[in-house]
């Protein structure tokens, strides 16, 4: 009895030690950095952060991006996963092609879209050939926030949907096809089967994918930086700027804490709202 | 009007032929049992009727309608799956209600039907539970209740009672039979349990390696098997098969002789264990090996001329292993089988 209670803790011990050394220690240091000023406890760093011109903008930009990208990405990934699941032949090939963006770093992904969307990029060339524009249009300038936003969104979706697809496909493969078949025999249309059978049974995978994607989306930086520099301020971009441009690592740490708190909150929301009680699992 | 016509259905899985040109006609309201050993194609046939599997060739008609190309939900049937397929994320109540909800039944109607079906299968105490908290047998009953709740015209059941204990199975069997008979539901019932098939079905189709060997009423099947396989598969203990030498149209072994529909050579006599008179000597010489008291009868296993045979005698018979007895089969009930193709021959010439 006691032994079987202790055993799980023993087994998880090494991983915990590892996490404490490489995660908790830096975390504590960051917190200390953020909440001190010249060696004394203070909220100066946070005051500076909030008082900065870019602060409100970076918050709203980051949240807007998350709110626009994540739902779209989820729908897209669900559609793609369902289609891949239906394929008989060439399934692996399609899967390979779909996950290529996964192998590309986010900075490289940003650069790819930069070559497409910049003044003399492919997009303008095509528009020019079709006679839709006369000269080069600057889609990524801070004077055209909408197209800049759409550009960043496209790059983010292109780059990071594949991981969601992969998680959802592995989830779909765990659902025995008999459930959907039974529903079909009892008169459910394919849309009803998707809504009433596949989606609820896929909930644990959707939850994992959403947590992973949302946390990463709040940390968006390199793609944005490649496309717009600081024309489109986001939270992690500001942390970077304070650290390396303003040489103020206290405020940078404050930003880091803020991003962490937001990510944790989002994770908690997902864990709460997308909970699958044990008795409802297959 | 919902008879089922299966017209020369063939099904190949790659190189494997699961069903070979199989035809079957189920009358409206009839209860047919598909009986056969594991892997003979029972589930495949059921899935093709349901539309879950596409046939390689052939047609399926339900009523007068050719449903060969229709998706399952347009075929108007209900099915109990071999592995239940009870939805894990719905309560038992919602599982049983599923088909009715898909038909857009009112809440009152759903409640009424769910309660009726749950009552039949004794699952009322579990209605608010989730399937993960049920035993295999309880889940199986949920699957049956889900199918009965929609009061289908055609019901397909794939070993629906396989996971119940013997007593409950017997009870469910008779309840199913009564319910389906009174509702006039056309039923195809897959099983590999021959007593279940005999007890439930109007007719039994015995399947073997993707073909129907014989289809007939249970008693006729038992008494006049068309092939050696059917005789061996239906009935417990299985039919005895004794090879006898034939000369001039008469089979002879020990003190036994009988006219057979064959001039010369060898014939296989299919004899049921209970269709045999036992005497001290005369007839077929039988060396007793094992005696098993089964309650109602005493089952003797032994050898006739080196060939395995089983004989049922009265439970109070004083027979011991090692005894030699003389068997006289009831002449009218012997099935003569051609050993070359395993098929029953016509009546004695
Ligand atoms: N999806 C499939 N792919 C390939 N072969 C299959 C498939 N489904 C069934 N088979 C083969 O078809 C044959 C018939 O299978 P089926 O499931 O119909 O048997 P069954 O009579 O229902 O057996 P059991 O009593 O064990 O359920 C088997 O040889 C099986 O291996
Ligand atoms: Mg089967």
């Amino acid at each position: 009895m006691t032994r079987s209670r202790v055993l799980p803790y023993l087994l998880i011990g090494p991983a915990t030690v590892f996490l404490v050394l490489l995660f908790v220690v830096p975390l504590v240091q960051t917190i200390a950095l953020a909440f001190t000023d010249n060696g004394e406890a203070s909220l100066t760093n946070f005051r500076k952060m909030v008082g900065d011109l870019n602060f409100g903008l970076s918050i709203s930009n980051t949240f807007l991006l998350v709110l626009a990208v994540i739902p779209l990405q989820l729908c897209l990934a669900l559609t793609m996963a369902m289609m891949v699941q239906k394929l008989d032949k060439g399934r692996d090939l399609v899967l390979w092609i779909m996950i290529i963006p996964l192998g590309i770093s986010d900075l490289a992904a940003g650069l790819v879209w930069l070559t497409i969307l910049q003044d003399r990029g492919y997009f303008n060339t095509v528009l020019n050939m079709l006679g839709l524009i006369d000269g080069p249009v600057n889609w990524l300038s801070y004077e055209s926030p909408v197209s800049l936003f759409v550009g960043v969104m496209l790059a983010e979706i292109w780059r990071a949907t594949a991981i969601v697809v992969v998680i959802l496909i592995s989830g779909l493969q765990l659902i025995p096809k008999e459930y959907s078949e039974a529903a079909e025999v009892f008169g459910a249309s394919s849309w009803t089967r998707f809504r009433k059978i596949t989606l609820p049974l896929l909930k644990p995978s959707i939850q994992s994918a959403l947590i992973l994607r949302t946390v990463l989306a709040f940390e968006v930086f390199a793609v944005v930086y490649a496309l717009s520099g600081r024309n489109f301020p986001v939270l992690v971009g500001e942390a970077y700027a304070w650290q390396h441009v303003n040489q103020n690592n206290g405020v940078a740490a404050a930003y880091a804490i803020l991003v962490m708190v937001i990510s944790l909150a989002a994770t908690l929301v997902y864990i709460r709202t997308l909970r699958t009680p044990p008795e409802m699992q297959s | 009007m919902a008879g089922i016509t299966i017209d020369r259905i063939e099904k190949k899985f790659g190189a494997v032929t699961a069903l070979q040109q199989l035809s079957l006609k189920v009358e409206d309201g009839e209860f047919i049992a598909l009986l056969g050993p594991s892997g003979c194609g029972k589930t495949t046939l059921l899935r093709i009727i349901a539309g879950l599997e596409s046939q390689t060739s052939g047609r399926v008609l339900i009523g007068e309608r050719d449903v060969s190309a229709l998706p399952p939900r347009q075929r108007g049937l209900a099915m109990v799956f071999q592995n239940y397929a009870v939805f894990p994320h719905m309560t038992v109540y919602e599982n049983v209600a599923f088909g009715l909800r898909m038909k857009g039944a009112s809440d009152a109607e759903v409640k009424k039907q769910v309660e009726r079906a749950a009552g039949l299968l004794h699952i009322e105490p579990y209605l608010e539970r989730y399937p993960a908290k049920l035993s295999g047998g309880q889940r199986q009953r949920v699957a049956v209740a889900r199918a009965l709740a929609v009061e289908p015209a055609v019901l397909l059941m794939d070993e629906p009672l396989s996971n119940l204990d013997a007593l409950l199975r017997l009870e469910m069997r008779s309840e199913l039979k009564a319910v389906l008979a009174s509702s006039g539901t056309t039923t195809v019932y897959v099983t590999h349990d021959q007593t279940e098939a005999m007890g439930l079905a109007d007719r039994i189709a015995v399947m073997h390696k993707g073909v129907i060997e014989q289809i007939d009423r249970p008693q006729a099947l038992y008494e006049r098997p068309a092939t050696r396989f059917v005789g061996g598969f239906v009935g417990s203990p299985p039919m005895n098969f004794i090879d006898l030498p034939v000369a001039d149209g008469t089979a002879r072994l020990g003190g036994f002789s009988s006219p057979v529909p064959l001039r010369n050579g060898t014939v296989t006599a299919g004899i049921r264990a209970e269709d045999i008179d036992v005497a001290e000597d005369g007839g077929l010489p039988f060396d007793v090996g094992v005696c098993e008291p089964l309650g109602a009868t005493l089952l003797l296993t032994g050898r006739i001329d080196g060939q395995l045979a089983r004989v049922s005698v009265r439970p109070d018979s004083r027979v011991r292993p090692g005894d030699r007895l003389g068997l006289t089969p009831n002449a009218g009930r012997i099935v003569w089988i051609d050993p070359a193709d395993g098929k029953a021959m016509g009546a004695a010439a």
Side-chain angles (χ1 to χ4, degrees):
Chain A
M1 189 66 192
T2 28
R3 218 190 110 182
S4 65
R5 277 208 193 152
V6 172
L7 190 65
Y9 295 100
L10 282 180
L11 291 177
I12 207 163
T16 313
V17 170
F18 193 74
L19 271 180
V20 166
L21 286 181
L22 289 175
F23 180 70
V24 177
V25 172
L27 178 68
V28 171
Q29 284 174 339
T30 309
I31 292 174
L33 205 57
F35 286 96
T36 54
D37 188 30
N38 290 326
E40 281 170 40
S42 108
L43 289 176
T44 314
N45 290 325
F46 285 91
R47 251 180 247 122
K48 262 192 201 156
M49 172 177 91
V50 175
D52 184 55
L53 209 60
N54 269 351
F55 176 72
L57 208 52
S58 66
I59 291 239
S60 61
N61 278 347
T62 308
F63 270 84
L64 267 180
L65 201 57
V66 169
L67 287 179
V69 167
I70 303 292
L72 253 173
Q73 211 159 39
L74 183 66
C75 295
L76 203 63
L78 268 173
T79 316
M80 285 161 80
M82 292 300 288
M83 289 191 315
V84 170
Q85 193 69 354
K86 288 264 185 311
L87 293 178
D88 278 337
K89 289 192 192 108
R91 224 189 101 160
D92 289 347
L93 185 71
V94 173
L95 209 56
W96 273 109
I97 293 174
M98 285 199 325
I99 63 177
I100 285 177
L102 262 189
I104 297 175
S105 76
D106 42 359
L107 185 61
L111 293 174
V112 167
W113 282 88
L114 186 64
T115 58
I116 297 174
L117 295 176
Q118 68 189 350
D119 298 4
R120 306 204 170 272
Y122 297 111
F123 186 55
N124 277 340
T125 312
V126 170
L127 290 186
N128 215 350
M129 268 161 44
L130 294 175
L132 294 175
I133 52 172
D134 294 332
V137 179
N138 189 352
W139 302 105
L140 302 175
S141 99
Y142 68 99
E143 285 159 2
S144 50
V146 174
S147 68
L148 177 57
F149 182 75
V150 171
V152 172
M153 226 176 91
L154 278 177
E156 267 295 283
I157 290 174
W158 178 82
R159 181 180 73 84
T161 302
I163 184 70
V164 184
V165 176
V166 170
I167 295 174
L168 294 184
I169 285 181
S170 68
L172 281 175
Q173 281 171 339
L174 289 178
I175 305 175
K177 69 175 186 343
E178 281 80 8
Y179 295 136
S180 186
E181 285 181 350
E184 193 175 3
V185 166
F186 286 102
S189 64
S190 53
W191 175 238
T192 309
R193 292 201 299 279
F194 176 72
R195 256 178 46 240
K196 299 253 158 143
I197 309 294
T198 311
L199 218 46
L201 292 177
L202 198 59
K203 218 164 74 177
S205 304
I206 293 177
Q207 190 190 43
S208 314
L210 279 179
I211 290 176
L212 187 71
R213 260 313 290 148
T214 308
V215 168
L216 289 178
F218 276 119
E219 292 170 8
V220 67
F221 170 52
V223 168
V224 176
Y225 201 72
L227 281 176
S228 73
R230 263 180 102 181
N231 287 345
F232 187 82
V234 288
L235 287 173
V236 177
E238 289 310 297
Y240 178 82
W242 277 96
Q243 175 85 23
H244 293 286
V245 182
N246 304 358
Q247 302 280 329
N248 185 335
N249 49 17
V251 177
Y255 266 107
I257 300 290
L258 180 66
V259 170
M260 189 187 73
V261 168
I262 292 173
S263 298
L264 278 179
T267 306
L268 274 181
V269 168
Y270 284 134
I271 288 178
R272 278 292 170 86
T273 53
L274 293 176
R275 206 175 80 88
T276 310
E279 72 265 23
M280 287 171 69
Q281 282 158 15
S282 42
Chain B
M1 284 292 98
I4 306 170
T5 308
I6 293 156
D7 182 19
R8 283 164 295 158
I9 284 286
E10 188 176 44
K11 177 66 186 178
K12 293 196 171 107
F13 291 108
V16 182
T17 304
L19 299 173
Q20 318 177 12
Q21 295 271 333
L22 188 145
S23 296
L24 174 66
K25 202 162 164 47
V26 186
E27 302 298 332
D28 181 38
E30 193 181 21
F31 192 125
I32 288 251
L34 288 180
L35 178 65
S38 187
C40 69
K42 306 182 294 293
T43 298
T44 306
L45 180 56
L46 218 56
R47 287 174 58 85
I48 287 175
I49 299 175
L52 294 170
E53 205 85 64
S54 59
Q55 62 274 19
T56 309
S57 66
R59 295 186 310 154
V60 178
L61 283 79
I62 293 178
E64 298 300 304
R65 206 158 57 116
D66 186 341
V67 298
S68 308
L70 291 185
R73 67 197 166 88
Q74 286 172 20
R75 297 194 180 193
L77 42 76
M79 181 163 172
V80 180
F81 288 72
Q82 188 164 10
N83 43 9
Y84 328 143
V86 172
F87 307 126
H89 60 295
M90 298 180 192
T91 59
V92 169
Y93 185 96
E94 282 308 317
N95 262 287
V96 177
F98 189 84
L100 298 159
R101 296 227 191 274
M102 290 301 116
K103 285 184 176 167
S106 70
D107 280 347
E109 171 77 4
V110 169
K111 188 161 157 33
K112 188 178 120 235
Q113 291 287 19
V114 170
E115 276 166 6
R116 188 188 64 94
L120 276 171
L121 289 143
H122 307 327
I123 52 171
E124 302 109 314
Y126 323 125
L127 281 176
E128 294 313 315
R129 284 205 216 165
Y130 284 94
K133 295 264 163 97
L134 299 181
S135 74
Q138 290 165 340
R139 263 181 250 179
Q140 197 161 33
R141 282 181 278 154
V142 174
V144 177
R146 178 174 65 183
L148 290 182
V150 295
E151 300 194 310
V154 173
L155 176 58
L156 309 176
M157 295 199 268
D158 202 344
E159 311 205 11
L161 306 180
S162 61
N163 234 320
L164 307 186
D165 63 67
L167 208 60
L168 193 56
R169 190 185 308 186
L170 211 61
E171 188 182 335
M172 293 285 121
R173 200 198 282 175
S174 41
E175 284 188 15
L176 263 186
K177 186 167 180 166
V179 173
L180 294 175
S182 77
S183 61
T185 306
T186 308
T187 308
V188 181
Y189 186 103
V190 164
T191 177
H192 56 233
D193 177 346
Q194 47 98 17
T195 46
E196 200 167 282
M198 303 267 295
L200 277 170
D202 297 321
R203 287 190 298 156
I204 299 176
V206 180
M207 285 183 70
H208 182 41
K209 292 185 179 161
V211 297
I212 292 182
E213 293 255 324
Q214 185 177 8
I215 175 160
D216 213 333
R217 289 174 302 104
Q219 202 57 33
L221 204 71
Y222 184 80
E223 289 170 3
R224 314 279 345 152
T227 65
R228 181 173 171 144
F229 174 81
V230 174
F233 199 77
V234 176
S236 171
M239 193 174 234
N240 295 302
F241 299 104
I242 311 296
D243 285 343
L244 303 171
V246 180
D248 283 338
T250 304
R252 234 181 267 280
L253 187 70
F256 170 85
S257 70
S258 170
V260 293
L262 176 78
R263 283 311 310 165
N264 290 297
T266 309
V267 73
T268 304
I271 311 164
R272 289 281 175 201
E274 68 275 14
D275 293 334
I276 300 174
D277 288 328
V278 180
E280 296 285 306
D281 49 26
L284 295 164
F286 177 66
D287 298 310
V288 181
V290 183
C291 303
E292 296 169 72
L294 297 182
T297 58
L298 178 68
L299 181 65
L300 311 177
T301 306
R303 297 197 170 269
I304 296 170
D305 190 27
Q307 304 175 58
L308 180 75
R310 292 191 186 83
V311 184
S312 283
V313 295
R314 294 183 33 175
D316 55 355
S317 310
R318 296 174 181 283
V319 183
R320 271 176 228 300
D323 288 357
R324 167 163 283 212
L325 303 173
L327 306 184
T328 309
N330 183 340
R333 299 179 69 95
I334 300 177
V335 179
W336 299 109
I337 295 165
D338 184 344
D341 60 4
K343 291 210 168 84
M345 303 192 274

